[in-house]
Amino acid sequence: REFYRLVKQRPAPGGVLSQWIPLEQQPDNLTRGMIASLLEAFSEVTLWIPSDYEAILVASDRPLTVDWARWQQEWAKPSVARSLMDVGFTSPYGLLGTYVAGTEALRRYVQGYPAMTDDHPRVEYFLSNADRPFHPEELLALAEPLGARLSRAEGLEAQRLDREREAN
Protein backbone atom coordinates (compact mmCIF):
# COMPACT_ATOMS: atom_id res chain seq x y z
CA ARG A 1 0.00 0.00 0.00
CA GLU A 2 2.74 2.45 0.93
CA PHE A 3 4.62 1.79 -2.31
CA TYR A 4 1.54 2.39 -4.44
CA ARG A 5 0.77 5.61 -2.59
CA LEU A 6 4.28 6.87 -3.35
CA VAL A 7 4.04 5.79 -6.98
CA LYS A 8 0.73 7.60 -7.36
CA GLN A 9 2.49 10.91 -6.68
CA ARG A 10 4.88 10.51 -9.63
CA PRO A 11 2.90 10.42 -12.90
CA ALA A 12 1.16 13.38 -14.48
CA PRO A 13 -2.62 13.51 -14.05
CA GLY A 14 -4.09 10.66 -16.07
CA GLY A 15 -0.81 8.72 -16.02
CA VAL A 16 -0.94 4.98 -15.46
CA LEU A 17 0.81 2.32 -13.42
CA SER A 18 1.08 -1.22 -14.71
CA GLN A 19 1.59 -4.05 -12.20
CA TRP A 20 2.41 -7.64 -13.20
CA ILE A 21 1.01 -10.41 -10.99
CA PRO A 22 2.29 -14.00 -11.26
CA LEU A 23 -1.03 -15.81 -10.87
CA GLU A 24 0.18 -19.36 -10.43
CA GLN A 25 3.30 -18.54 -8.40
CA GLN A 26 1.59 -17.22 -5.30
CA PRO A 27 -1.42 -18.18 -3.21
CA ASP A 28 -4.87 -16.66 -3.60
CA ASN A 29 -4.73 -14.40 -0.54
CA LEU A 30 -1.56 -12.68 -1.75
CA THR A 31 -3.02 -11.98 -5.18
CA ARG A 32 -6.10 -10.48 -3.59
CA GLY A 33 -3.95 -8.51 -1.12
CA MET A 34 -1.91 -7.00 -3.95
CA ILE A 35 -5.09 -5.98 -5.76
CA ALA A 36 -6.55 -4.55 -2.53
CA SER A 37 -3.39 -2.48 -2.03
CA LEU A 38 -3.60 -1.00 -5.50
CA LEU A 39 -7.31 -0.22 -5.05
CA GLU A 40 -6.52 1.72 -1.86
CA ALA A 41 -4.10 3.98 -3.71
CA PHE A 42 -5.74 4.49 -7.12
CA SER A 43 -9.33 5.40 -7.97
CA GLU A 44 -9.36 3.37 -11.20
CA VAL A 45 -7.95 -0.14 -11.65
CA THR A 46 -8.49 -2.61 -14.48
CA LEU A 47 -7.46 -6.24 -14.74
CA TRP A 48 -6.12 -7.88 -17.89
CA ILE A 49 -5.15 -11.56 -18.16
CA PRO A 50 -2.96 -12.16 -21.22
CA SER A 51 -2.05 -15.76 -20.32
CA ASP A 52 -2.88 -18.55 -17.90
CA TYR A 53 0.04 -17.62 -15.70
CA GLU A 54 -0.06 -13.87 -15.32
CA ALA A 55 -2.27 -10.86 -14.88
CA ILE A 56 -1.65 -7.18 -15.49
CA LEU A 57 -3.28 -4.52 -13.36
CA VAL A 58 -3.49 -1.02 -14.84
CA ALA A 59 -4.19 1.81 -12.41
CA SER A 60 -4.82 5.54 -12.76
CA ASP A 61 -6.38 8.52 -11.04
CA ARG A 62 -8.72 8.94 -14.03
CA PRO A 63 -11.24 6.62 -15.71
CA LEU A 64 -9.48 4.05 -17.87
CA THR A 65 -11.01 3.72 -21.32
CA VAL A 66 -9.84 2.27 -24.60
CA ASP A 67 -9.41 4.64 -27.54
CA TRP A 68 -10.10 1.97 -30.16
CA ALA A 69 -9.26 4.21 -33.12
CA ARG A 70 -5.88 5.03 -31.58
CA TRP A 71 -5.21 1.35 -30.80
CA GLN A 72 -5.76 0.56 -34.47
CA GLN A 73 -3.54 3.49 -35.57
CA GLU A 74 -0.75 2.38 -33.26
CA TRP A 75 -1.08 -1.23 -34.39
CA ALA A 76 -0.56 -0.07 -37.99
CA LYS A 77 3.00 0.96 -37.05
CA PRO A 78 5.32 -1.92 -37.92
CA SER A 79 7.39 -1.58 -34.73
CA VAL A 80 4.29 -1.74 -32.52
CA ALA A 81 2.77 -4.68 -34.40
CA ARG A 82 6.09 -6.54 -34.32
CA SER A 83 6.58 -5.95 -30.57
CA LEU A 84 3.09 -7.16 -29.76
CA MET A 85 3.39 -10.14 -32.10
CA ASP A 86 6.58 -11.09 -30.25
CA VAL A 87 4.47 -11.60 -27.12
CA GLY A 88 1.64 -13.42 -28.87
CA PHE A 89 -0.81 -10.73 -29.99
CA THR A 90 -1.63 -10.84 -33.68
CA SER A 91 -4.31 -8.13 -33.66
CA PRO A 92 -5.65 -5.34 -31.45
CA TYR A 93 -8.71 -7.56 -30.92
CA GLY A 94 -6.57 -10.19 -29.26
CA LEU A 95 -5.09 -7.63 -26.88
CA LEU A 96 -8.50 -6.17 -26.06
CA GLY A 97 -9.78 -9.68 -25.42
CA THR A 98 -7.49 -9.97 -22.38
CA TYR A 99 -9.58 -7.40 -20.47
CA VAL A 100 -11.36 -8.98 -17.50
CA ALA A 101 -12.63 -6.43 -14.99
CA GLY A 102 -12.70 -2.87 -13.75
CA THR A 103 -12.58 -1.17 -10.38
CA GLU A 104 -15.94 -2.16 -8.90
CA ALA A 105 -15.66 -5.82 -9.84
CA LEU A 106 -12.15 -5.90 -8.35
CA ARG A 107 -13.43 -4.31 -5.13
CA ARG A 108 -15.93 -7.15 -4.81
CA TYR A 109 -13.22 -9.73 -5.55
CA VAL A 110 -10.94 -8.50 -2.74
CA GLN A 111 -13.64 -7.83 -0.17
CA GLY A 112 -12.48 -9.13 3.21
CA TYR A 113 -8.80 -9.41 2.18
CA PRO A 114 -6.31 -7.01 3.76
CA ALA A 115 -4.03 -4.83 1.68
CA MET A 116 -0.30 -5.54 1.67
CA THR A 117 1.55 -3.12 3.93
CA ASP A 118 5.18 -2.42 4.83
CA ASP A 119 4.64 -3.58 8.40
CA HIS A 120 3.02 -6.86 7.25
CA PRO A 121 5.02 -7.88 4.14
CA ARG A 122 3.16 -11.08 3.35
CA VAL A 123 4.52 -11.32 -0.20
CA GLU A 124 8.09 -11.69 1.05
CA TYR A 125 7.01 -14.60 3.28
CA PHE A 126 4.52 -16.15 0.88
CA LEU A 127 5.30 -19.75 1.81
CA SER A 128 4.19 -19.17 5.40
CA ASN A 129 1.25 -16.95 4.42
CA ALA A 130 -0.50 -19.22 1.93
CA ASP A 131 -4.22 -19.69 2.49
CA ARG A 132 -4.99 -21.76 -0.64
CA PRO A 133 -3.78 -22.05 -4.21
CA PHE A 134 -4.86 -19.46 -6.71
CA HIS A 135 -8.22 -20.30 -8.34
CA PRO A 136 -8.36 -18.67 -11.79
CA GLU A 137 -12.04 -19.43 -12.26
CA GLU A 138 -12.93 -17.00 -9.43
CA LEU A 139 -11.00 -14.20 -11.08
CA LEU A 140 -12.34 -14.97 -14.53
CA ALA A 141 -15.87 -14.97 -13.11
CA LEU A 142 -15.44 -11.19 -12.78
CA ALA A 143 -15.35 -10.81 -16.58
CA GLU A 144 -17.21 -7.68 -17.66
CA PRO A 145 -18.37 -6.64 -21.12
CA LEU A 146 -15.60 -5.08 -23.19
CA GLY A 147 -17.96 -2.28 -24.16
CA ALA A 148 -17.41 -0.74 -20.73
CA ARG A 149 -13.95 0.32 -21.93
CA LEU A 150 -14.90 1.58 -25.39
CA SER A 151 -16.66 4.73 -26.53
CA ARG A 152 -20.36 4.67 -27.41
CA ALA A 153 -19.58 4.96 -31.12
CA GLU A 154 -17.68 1.68 -30.91
CA GLY A 155 -20.52 -0.13 -29.14
CA LEU A 156 -21.46 -2.48 -31.98
CA GLU A 157 -17.86 -3.58 -32.36
CA ALA A 158 -17.65 -4.15 -28.61
CA GLN A 159 -20.76 -6.32 -28.68
CA ARG A 160 -19.20 -8.43 -31.43
CA LEU A 161 -16.01 -8.79 -29.38
CA ASP A 162 -18.02 -9.80 -26.32
CA ARG A 163 -19.83 -12.50 -28.32
CA GLU A 164 -16.51 -13.83 -29.62
CA ARG A 165 -15.05 -13.91 -26.12
CA GLU A 166 -18.08 -15.74 -24.72
CA ALA A 167 -17.87 -18.28 -27.54
CA ASN A 168 -14.27 -19.03 -26.60
Side-chain angles (χ1 to χ4, degrees), residues 12-67:
V16 298
L17 164 76
S18 177
Q19 172 69 60
W20 171 72
I21 294 182
L23 294 177
E24 298 211 353
Q25 295 177 3
Q26 66 185 26
D28 186 66
N29 62 323
L30 297 185
T31 297
R32 291 181 195 235
M34 288 177 74
I35 296 170
S37 300
L38 199 56
L39 286 165
E40 283 190 15
F42 288 88
S43 59
E44 292 287 323
V45 180
T46 59
L47 172 72
W48 305 73
I49 300 182
S51 80
D52 292 343
Y53 306 105
E54 59 194 354
I56 306 293
L57 293 165
V58 179
S60 181
D61 64 348
R62 305 269 166 86
L64 293 163
T65 59
V66 172
D67 181 342

Side-chain angles (χ1 to χ4, degrees), residues 43-117:
S43 59
E44 292 287 323
V45 180
T46 59
L47 172 72
W48 305 73
I49 300 182
S51 80
D52 292 343
Y53 306 105
E54 59 194 354
I56 306 293
L57 293 165
V58 179
S60 181
D61 64 348
R62 305 269 166 86
L64 293 163
T65 59
V66 172
D67 181 342
W68 186 244
R70 181 154 183 225
W71 275 37
Q72 291 175 313
Q73 283 177 331
E74 292 297 316
W75 205 284
K77 297 177 182 176
S79 62
V80 172
R82 191 172 33 259
S83 292
L84 290 167
M85 282 186 203
D86 286 347
V87 293
F89 295 107
T90 58
S91 76
Y93 299 103
L95 183 58
L96 188 60
T98 68
Y99 171 76
V100 175
T103 306
E104 294 312 311
L106 291 172
R107 287 191 196 289
R108 290 190 302 275
Y109 178 69
V110 303
Q111 192 169 13
Y113 286 83
M116 301 284 177
T117 62

